[in-house]
Amino acid sequence: MLKFLRVKNFALMEELSLNFEKGLTVITGETGAGKSMIVEAIAALCGERLDEISIRSGKDYAEITGIIEPNSESIELLKKYNLETNEDIIVRRRIERGKRQFAYINDQLVSLFRLKEITQSLIDLVGQYENQSLFNVANHLKLLDHYAHTEMMLADYQKIFNEHRKCLSQLKELESLQREKNQKIADLRFEIDEIEKANLRPGEEEKLLEEKTLLQTGEKRASLVDEIIPHLYEAESSAYENLALVYRLIEELSNLDSRCEINNLKSLIGVSINNIEEVYRQLINYRERIDFSPERFEEVMERLDLIERLKKKYRRDIPGLLEYLESAKKEIEKLEKNEIEIEKLQNQLHLFENQLADLTSALSKKRRTTAKIMEKEIIKILNRLGMEKAQFHIKFTEKPLDESGVDGVEFFISTNPGEELKPLNKVGSGGEISRMTLGLKTILSEADHIPTIIFDEVDTGIGGRIAEAVGELLFALSKEHQVICITHLPQISIFADNHILVKKEIKKDSTYVNVLKLDETMRKMEIARMLGGKEITKKTLEHAEEILQRRRKDG
């Protein structure tokens, strides 16, 4: 719902603020007073382009601000585009001379396209403007569905449709996999065979690297042992020979001096001699085990090269290669079971297709039956609005299956005798379009979720009984929507919940447009002016009072 409008330096409006209420609001004023400027300002809030000519003479910029109560659809769009969501939506338009124009939602800069997308779910401008929702063919099926109360049927259909789509996607994926299966299995078997033949073992690479180092240093290690042994045991004046000499001398000393400390020294030397003998034996054993076989070195290198090649090829270490080996075996099992899964999915898909066929048929039948009722109701309304020869038809076409079924729907109308039915957005003058839209929206008021509807030319070329019928329908529509209507007819104005007067004033050679919310007394004066012209007589005042009283009584 539109709650507030503030206009600055726009056309003949220097600065004005206007609060809007629920129900039916009429905007009246003398011809040329500037009533349509208010609608033009609201249209700017809905994304219509502004021209520099819109800027008031002598001013550098024009600015329009509106406060709109959001609905669920607009809140979702704000979230989708990362725009701030508040209790209200504040829309601002600004144009400066010689510069580009700007659009803001909650003080965040947006494009005109984005502004239109968000506001078209909030305000429907009927007349000369583009965002008349009924003229958008994409909305026709939704409106028919709401009118037909197909929500439950559509929900059941969409549940099966989504299951069908999911099943079909899985089937296509498996069938695609099936086509590649043989090559994939061959590739996997080759990889499994390659890894299995390698007979990899955890920790093997580390041991091979250690052995490689030992093989590379075998000759050097043997040479060192060969050098150590003579100094230790075999050569003249070796460590062993020298210690044996020392042992004999200490033994001779102990014969001369039997005290304990001398015997201890003898024991220590004895242990050292035994240790040298043990070191000698271990070195001999070590020397015999030293392997510097070129053949074994070649074997180790070949094994390490194989491991390195597999690691590079599969981009895994040995534990990773062993894990991949197991996963490849499982994938082969899965691929070989693929045909069974395909058959299951095909059976499931067939079941979904049968269910969809039944649901689609029931949905289409409900729509077509309701369309006939809706056509008759709309023609009745159009007749009330003075379009006695109007024809209205809901055309069905078949479209590819989607979330709404197979029905394509478009509204067709003929407003004059002898004219063929044409798409709704291809026929009618401004006044006819407004009355057509009023008739359609009256029938579809519960189905149409746009909260605010603005009529600019609904009373063009009508009067008397038809004008009263227009007023009645506008009032009925305002029970479901906020309705704002520009009119010059008292028969329409008397149905208003709120009445705004637009006046043009000249001050110091400048023209200004001002607005005034009318109380009951002022409203009676304005109705009298609309009935009798500039001269408001006692008789026109009485007539104005009479029709207002009658309206209050009927209301």
Side-chain angles (χ1 to χ4, degrees):
M1 177 183 121
L2 178 63
K3 298 168 75 172
F4 175 79
L5 177 69
R6 179 176 177 271
V7 179
K8 190 167 185 177
N9 302 331
F10 180 70
L12 297 177
M13 295 180 284
E14 184 173 55
E15 185 163 3
L16 61 84
S17 297
L18 193 56
N19 291 304
F20 288 95
E21 309 292 337
K22 295 180 180 179
L24 173 60
T25 298
V26 296
I27 300 173
T28 65
E30 294 182 358
T31 301
K35 298 184 291 296
S36 290
M37 291 180 192
I38 295 175
V39 179
E40 289 168 9
I42 297 172
L45 296 178
C46 294
E48 291 292 324
R49 290 196 64 82
L50 292 170
D51 297 319
E52 280 197 19
I53 197 172
S54 302
I55 302 174
R56 182 176 174 83
S57 297
K59 302 296 182 180
D60 296 325
Y61 72 94
E63 188 170 90
I64 302 163
T65 304
I67 298 177
I68 307 170
E69 183 180 312
N71 58 7
S72 58
E73 188 175 342
S74 60
I75 289 171
E76 287 302 314
L77 287 171
L78 290 173
K79 291 178 179 176
K80 177 181 177 181
Y81 299 120
N82 296 316
L83 294 169
E84 188 176 343
T85 55
N86 298 317
E87 184 177 343
D88 291 317
I89 296 174
I90 300 174
V91 179
R92 182 162 58 92
R93 294 293 307 281
R94 183 181 176 91
I95 182 170
E96 301 174 7
R97 292 193 188 278
K99 297 181 181 179
R100 57 173 291 198
Q101 52 187 282
F102 301 93
Y104 302 87
I105 294 179
N106 293 337
D107 284 330
Q108 292 174 266
L109 187 66
V110 295
S111 66
L112 291 185
F113 176 82
R114 189 70 66 228
L115 179 61
K116 279 186 178 182
E117 183 183 4
I118 292 170
T119 55
Q120 70 182 1
S121 68
L122 296 166
I123 298 175
D124 205 2
L125 293 161
V126 180
Q128 58 182 309
Y129 301 98
E130 290 181 3
N131 67 323
Q132 299 170 46
S133 62
L134 286 172
F135 291 87
N136 185 348
V137 177
N139 291 329
H140 292 178
L141 180 59
K142 295 176 186 176
L143 291 168
L144 175 60
D145 275 338
H146 284 304
Y147 186 76
H149 300 293
T150 62
E151 291 84 357
M152 293 298 294
M153 292 178 70
L154 196 57
D156 290 341
Y157 166 83
Q158 288 173 345
K159 179 181 177 182
I160 299 300
F161 175 81
N162 289 328
E163 290 291 338
H164 173 273
R165 185 165 56 181
K166 181 181 176 182
C167 182
L168 184 61
S169 174
Q170 290 174 339
L171 180 60
K172 286 181 177 178
E173 184 180 347
L174 284 180
E175 285 176 339
S176 174
L177 194 60
Q178 178 74 7
R179 287 189 291 271
E180 301 168 4
K181 185 183 75 168
N182 292 338
Q183 183 59 49
K184 181 70 173 175
I185 288 176
D187 291 343
L188 286 170
R189 289 199 186 284
F190 176 82
E191 291 173 350
I192 290 169
D193 186 59
E194 183 177 43
I195 297 172
E196 282 186 334
K197 279 183 178 178
N199 195 26
L200 300 172
R201 296 179 299 278
E204 176 187 12
E205 186 178 17
E206 292 77 4
K207 290 179 180 178
L208 286 170
L209 289 170
E210 183 180 342
E211 186 178 358
K212 172 189 169 184
T213 301
L214 291 173
L215 285 167
Q216 286 176 322
T217 61
E219 291 187 15
K220 177 65 174 174
R221 287 183 293 115
S223 174
L224 287 170
V225 172
D226 289 343
E227 187 176 350
I228 292 169
I229 286 174
H231 289 293
L232 183 68
Y233 194 84
E234 294 178 349
E236 186 178 347
S237 296
S238 66
Y240 178 82
E241 186 176 296
N242 287 329
L243 280 173
L245 175 60
V246 170
Y247 182 83
R248 288 194 300 272
L249 292 174
I250 289 178
E251 187 176 32
E252 185 177 344
L253 179 61
S254 70
N255 291 331
L256 298 174
D257 184 353
S258 61
R259 284 180 294 180
C260 181
E261 60 265 28
I262 299 299
N263 286 325
N264 285 341
L265 292 175
K266 177 182 173 183
S267 296
L268 288 173
I269 293 298
V271 169
S272 297
I273 290 171
N274 290 334
N275 286 338
I276 287 177
E277 288 177 339
E278 182 61 29
V279 170
Y280 170 73
R281 283 192 298 272
Q282 290 190 24
L283 280 173
I284 291 297
N285 290 333
Y286 177 77
R287 176 65 176 80
E288 289 174 352
R289 292 196 311 272
I290 291 176
D291 183 6
F292 44 89
S293 163
E295 292 80 8
R296 179 54 187 165
F297 182 75
E298 189 66 29
E299 289 175 8
V300 170
M301 292 305 297
E302 286 178 2
R303 184 67 177 167
L304 286 170
D305 286 345
L306 172 62
I307 292 171
E308 188 63 26
R309 179 172 59 80
L310 291 174
K311 285 168 60 179
K312 284 184 178 179
K313 179 178 179 179
Y314 294 96
R315 298 180 181 179
R316 290 170 170 84
D317 57 13
I318 288 179
L321 284 165
L322 294 173
E323 285 179 13
Y324 178 72
L325 178 63
E326 293 306 312
S327 68
K329 289 177 180 178
K330 289 178 182 177
E331 189 170 356
I332 284 180
E333 289 178 12
K334 181 181 176 182
L335 287 169
E336 289 174 340
K337 293 177 181 176
N338 201 33
E339 292 179 5
I340 299 171
E341 290 300 317
I342 286 175
E343 186 177 350
K344 286 181 181 177
L345 285 172
Q346 286 173 336
N347 292 335
Q348 187 67 53
L349 193 67
H350 182 65
L351 177 63
F352 285 143
E353 285 170 351
N354 289 337
Q355 290 177 307
L356 278 178
D358 292 341
L359 290 167
T360 301
S361 176
L363 194 57
S364 293
K365 185 177 179 180
K366 176 74 171 175
R367 286 167 172 167
R368 290 172 188 271
T369 301
T370 305
K372 296 296 181 185
I373 299 169
M374 184 173 157
E375 287 171 351
K376 291 177 182 178
E377 291 298 315
I378 287 173
I379 289 171
K380 284 182 186 177
I381 293 286
L382 294 178
N383 289 343
R384 283 180 64 187
L385 294 174
M387 302 167 74
E388 292 87 355
K389 303 299 182 182
Q391 298 179 63
F392 181 83
H393 176 61
I394 300 175
K395 182 180 178 181
F396 282 80
T397 56
E398 188 170 329
K399 64 179 182 180
L401 196 73
D402 64 16
E403 287 189 340
S404 62
V406 294
D407 298 314
V409 166
E410 185 172 4
F411 297 165
F412 277 66
I413 196 165
S414 169
T415 57
N416 297 305
E419 284 188 356
E420 64 179 14
L421 286 160
K422 295 178 182 177
L424 190 61
N425 59 358
K426 300 294 184 184
V427 296
S429 62
E432 283 182 324
I433 287 173
S434 292
R435 291 200 301 281
M436 269 191 318
T437 304
L438 173 59
L440 289 167
K441 282 191 173 289
T442 302
I443 292 295
L444 300 168
S445 59
E446 292 184 6
D448 188 355
H449 295 158
I450 299 176
T452 299
I453 308 167
I454 299 173
F455 290 92
D456 189 11
E457 301 176 321
V458 72
D459 60 3
T460 301
I462 63 169
R465 180 183 59 81
I466 295 172
E468 189 171 345
V470 168
E472 288 173 348
L473 290 177
L474 285 168
F475 181 73
L477 186 61
S478 71
K479 298 302 179 184
E480 300 287 342
H481 304 265
Q482 179 192 44
V483 179
I484 300 170
C485 175
I486 292 179
T487 183
H488 63 279
L489 297 178
Q491 296 96 324
I492 292 175
S493 298
I494 60 172
F495 286 91
D497 299 297
N498 315 288
H499 196 141
I500 296 171
L501 175 64
V502 179
K503 297 180 70 174
K504 186 186 288 184
E505 300 175 355
I506 299 175
K507 299 178 183 177
K508 297 181 180 180
D509 298 326
S510 293
T511 304
Y512 298 85
V513 168
N514 290 314
V515 296
L516 182 66
K517 295 192 77 171
L518 303 183
D519 59 22
E520 284 301 311
T521 301
M522 298 166 70
R523 186 180 181 200
K524 183 171 70 173
M525 294 292 290
E526 174 62 6
I527 297 293
R529 182 198 66 76
M530 297 171 78
L531 286 166
K534 291 184 178 180
E535 291 291 330
I536 300 176
T537 65
K538 181 180 178 182
K539 188 174 181 179
T540 55
L541 280 170
E542 288 174 351
H543 188 192
E545 177 65 29
E546 179 187 349
I547 62 174
L548 283 168
Q549 286 290 350
R550 188 170 71 246
R551 171 69 200 118
R552 292 188 195 103
K553 184 179 178 181
D554 293 341

